[in-house]
């Protein structure tokens, strides 16, 4: 579980702001959900034999002896809320952001507390909704400057009946080669064989080359929808690759599944994953409601923004103005004057030096802060009821604003207003 420090948070904030604005513009409303749910909710939705439920959940008994779990993902809680709050009378476009918890092996792009932005469209069965979500993602990558770094992969995993039939065929084929499978895949053969398609093991992947293909088992409706999805993406000019081995680790998906993957982050290359889950709402006790959604991993997106240079320069300057004071009286004058400037110029970022030190050391800090103006108070300024205004950068537009001058205290706001006029 990581600390996210002030030099990284500006990138997080930018990501959040771009996402928030974009989702608003597509008509999605934000929902804020609890971090803790009944353990049962995740068992019933994600599925008992998935990695998450088998070995990754942070579960505990509360004082009442009820088993609760730190949410490992957001869809289950979102659907629970939609059912409980009576949101399912009309189609809902919802999104949420926040921490998720999974007991995984930490590595680059994989944390035990990580953050997702999730989007769920509830109540629309048609594949146009799937396309809308994918187009929305594609637009997000363009806005973030990541469009060239991610590839869209799509697949259809059909109805649960189609998957059952495929599952039987896959198990039959792989059972004959059981000894050649990696350890994880051997275990999954009995519990969750579709996940074997996902295996990163090259020998297992080679074995899969001759395995039955999910596409051959699809029901007619899923096949039609998948054709239509490809038609819509092509019409909208969004490039994609059909990955016939793309499945999702959670039980509740059907029909469309998709991922945006990058080669820039090593093994943890999936930055966004989603798909349709038409049976989940009913499975959780709501009225039958089709649904489709996705979640993006924020750590991986920030890493990718940094890796590709899309994050832009380092964090912006901490301050516009840095206030320097030496001596107790000077410090008092500075404190009062800076508060007055904050009243009249609320947009200005002013950092008051703390921790004492000489003028020289304080001014060094002023320079480091990125501020373009230092305000200086010492004995002379206190006596004269003035303040020394020192311009720290002589960049474009500053004209004669470089250097320093003494300004009567009551003209400080006007001087700063003029200095930051552009
Ligand atoms: P993976 O195959 O990488 O484990 P997943 O299939 O478990 O992913 P989902 O549950 O679909 O992932 O979550 C959606 C996205 O959330 C992932 O594509 C990834 O970007 C991010 N994510 C999932 N688990 C983690 C984690 N432990 N640390 C950081 N990001 C994660
Ligand atoms: Mg996982």
């Amino acid at each position: 579980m990581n600390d996210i420090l002030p030099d990284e948070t500006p990138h997080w904030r930018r990501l959040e702001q771009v996402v928030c604005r974009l989702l608003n513009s597509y008509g999605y409303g934000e929902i804020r959900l609890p971090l803790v749910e009944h353990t049962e909710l995740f068992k019933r939705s994600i599925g008992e034999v998935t990695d998450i439920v088998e070995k990754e959940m942070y579960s505990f008994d509360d004082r009442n002896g009820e088993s609760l779990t730190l949410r490992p993902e957001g869809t289950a809680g979102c659907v629970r809320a939609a059912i409980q709050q009576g949101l399912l009378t009309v189609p809902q476009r919802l999104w949420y952001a926040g921490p998720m918890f999974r007991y995984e092996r930490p590595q680059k792009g994989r944390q035990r507390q990580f953050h997702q932005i999730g989007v769920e469209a509830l109540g629309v069965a048609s594949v146009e909704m799937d396309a809308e979500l994918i187009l929305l993602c594609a637009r997000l990558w363009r806005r973030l400057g990541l469009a060239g770094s991610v590839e869209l992969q799509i697949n259809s995993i059909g109805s649960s009946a189609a998957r059952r039939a495929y599952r039987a065929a896959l198990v039959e084929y792989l059972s004959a080669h059981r000894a050649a499978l990696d350890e994880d895949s051997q275990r999954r053969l009995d519990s969750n064989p579709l996940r074997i398609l996902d295996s990163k093991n090259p020998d297992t992947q080679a074995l899969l080359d001759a395995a039955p293909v999910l596409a051959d088992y699809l029901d007619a409706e899923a096949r039609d929808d998948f054709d239509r999805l490809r038609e819509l993406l092509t019409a909208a000019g969004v490039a994609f690759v059909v990955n016939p081995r793309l499945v999702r680790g959670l039980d509740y998906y059907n029909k469309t599944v998709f991922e945006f993957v990058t080669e820039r982050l090593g093994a943890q290359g999936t930055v966004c994953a989603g798909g349709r889950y038409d049976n989940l709402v009913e499975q959780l006790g709501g009225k039958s409601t089709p649904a489709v959604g996705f979640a993006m991993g924020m750590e991986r997106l920030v890493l990718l923004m940094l890796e590709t240079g899309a994050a832009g320069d380092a964090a912006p300057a901490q301050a516009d103005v840095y206030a320097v004071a030496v001596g107790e009286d000077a410090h008092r004058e500075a404190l009062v004057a800076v508060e007055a400037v904050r009243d009249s110029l609320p947009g200005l970022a002013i950092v008051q030096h703390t921790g004492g030190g000489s003028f020289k050391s304080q001014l060094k800090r002023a320079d480091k802060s990125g501020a373009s103006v230092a305000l200086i108070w010492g004995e002379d300024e206190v006596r004269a009821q003035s303040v020394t205004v020192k311009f720290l950068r002589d960049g474009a537009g500053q004209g004669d604003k470089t250097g320093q001058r003494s300004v009567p205290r009551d003209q400080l706001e006007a001087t700063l207003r003029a200095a930051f006029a552009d």
Side-chain angles (χ1 to χ4, degrees):
M1 298 186 184
N2 289 347
D3 304 308
I4 302 169
L5 300 178
D7 63 337
E8 299 165 73
T9 46
H11 304 306
W12 284 74
R13 203 168 269 279
R14 171 167 166 253
L15 173 62
E16 286 159 359
Q17 279 167 352
V18 170
V19 167
C20 179
R21 217 173 301 135
L22 181 75
L23 285 165
N24 264 326
S25 77
Y26 275 78
Y28 288 75
E30 183 186 3
I31 184 165
R32 300 204 177 193
L33 300 159
L35 300 192
V36 174
E37 299 274 357
H38 286 120
T39 302
E40 199 48 35
L41 175 72
F42 300 116
K43 287 193 176 167
R44 272 168 56 202
S45 58
I46 297 169
E48 296 267 8
V49 295
T50 56
D51 285 352
I52 293 180
V53 171
E54 272 185 342
K55 52 186 194 197
E56 295 176 358
M57 293 204 301
Y58 284 90
S59 301
F60 60 96
D61 286 348
D62 74 1
R63 287 171 188 279
N64 225 357
E66 272 190 276
S67 180
L68 305 180
T69 293
L70 295 182
R71 63 182 187 189
E73 53 98 54
T75 303
C78 187
V79 167
R80 193 250 333 124
I83 296 169
Q84 269 178 3
Q85 309 298 335
L87 303 183
L88 295 172
T89 50
V90 288
Q92 291 284 344
R93 289 179 163 92
L94 300 171
W95 73 277
Y96 51 82
M100 308 292 162
F101 304 85
R102 295 183 195 174
Y103 189 79
E104 300 202 71
R105 192 167 69 77
Q107 53 200 288
K108 183 181 174 189
R110 191 176 295 286
Q111 293 78 28
R112 290 180 172 175
Q113 172 173 331
F114 62 101
H115 298 76
Q116 287 184 338
I117 294 171
V119 177
E120 318 287 353
L122 307 174
V124 182
S126 74
V127 68
E128 279 76 13
M129 198 67 223
D130 310 26
E132 173 179 305
L133 290 182
I134 292 173
L135 296 184
L136 183 161
C137 289
R139 184 175 301 282
L140 177 63
W141 313 140
R142 292 199 294 276
R143 291 217 177 145
L144 292 171
L146 297 176
S149 313
V150 293
E151 177 186 82
L152 169 60
Q153 300 187 355
I154 60 172
N155 193 22
S156 175
I157 57 172
S159 64
S160 37
R163 261 195 327 280
R164 247 192 323 274
Y166 173 66
R167 186 189 147 121
L170 184 68
V171 169
E172 192 186 317
Y173 169 81
L174 289 177
S175 296
H177 302 86
R178 193 181 189 109
L181 287 172
D182 61 274
E183 206 177 306
D184 256 355
S185 298
Q186 287 190 4
R187 196 170 45 78
R188 284 176 172 149
L189 197 51
D190 305 314
S191 59
N192 197 356
L194 256 58
R195 262 331 274 280
I196 297 174
L197 300 178
D198 228 11
S199 166
K200 304 272 188 306
N201 185 295
D203 297 336
T204 300
Q205 279 296 331
L207 205 57
L208 287 167
D209 286 339
V213 194
L214 184 50
D216 295 337
Y217 289 77
L218 289 188
D219 46 298
E221 192 181 299
R223 211 172 316 126
D224 287 350
D225 274 5
F226 196 49
D227 288 345
R228 175 79 173 148
L229 179 65
R230 280 178 292 187
E231 179 198 337
L232 294 171
L233 294 177
T234 305
V238 171
F240 60 86
V241 173
V242 175
N243 175 357
R245 291 184 195 165
L246 185 63
V247 288
R248 308 245 20 89
L250 288 59
D251 263 1
Y252 51 64
Y253 286 102
N254 68 311
K255 287 187 175 171
T256 304
V257 293
F258 65 93
E259 287 191 0
F260 285 90
V261 296
T262 178
E263 293 184 336
R264 307 286 299 259
L265 297 181
Q268 269 53 250
T270 302
V271 294
C272 174
R276 185 160 274 285
Y277 51 95
D278 292 329
N279 301 315
L280 181 61
V281 179
E282 193 173 15
Q283 201 176 307
L284 291 179
K287 65 164 190 175
S288 173
T289 305
V292 52
F294 66 82
M296 323 179 233
M298 296 180 71
E299 277 80 2
R300 293 183 196 179
L301 284 172
V302 170
L303 271 178
L304 186 60
M305 284 158 58
L306 292 168
E307 190 87 16
T308 58
D313 286 340
Q318 301 159 13
D320 301 311
V321 175
Y322 196 95
V324 164
V326 175
E328 268 185 26
D329 290 343
H331 213 135
R332 185 190 60 242
E333 293 294 308
L335 189 106
V336 172
V338 162
E339 281 300 304
V341 173
R342 290 191 169 114
D343 284 341
S344 49
L345 297 167
L348 222 54
I350 312 174
V351 171
Q352 169 82 61
H353 180 85
T354 48
S358 64
F359 283 117
K360 194 174 161 209
S361 70
Q362 292 195 32
L363 281 167
K364 222 184 236 166
R365 290 273 289 277
D367 199 47
K368 267 211 178 120
S369 77
S372 44
V373 171
L375 304 178
I376 304 165
W377 281 269
E379 274 174 32
D380 294 348
E381 283 81 3
V382 172
R383 209 175 305 114
Q385 282 294 290
S386 68
V387 49
T388 299
V389 177
K390 183 173 166 65
F391 294 93
L392 301 171
R393 332 231 164 251
D394 49 14
Q398 292 273 336
D400 62 350
K401 290 182 202 161
T402 53
Q404 69 177 53
R405 59 179 185 269
S406 178
V407 170
R409 167 62 194 87
D410 58 7
Q411 283 171 35
L412 176 57
E413 283 89 338
T415 306
L416 289 175
R417 206 185 296 274
F420 290 94
D422 50 0

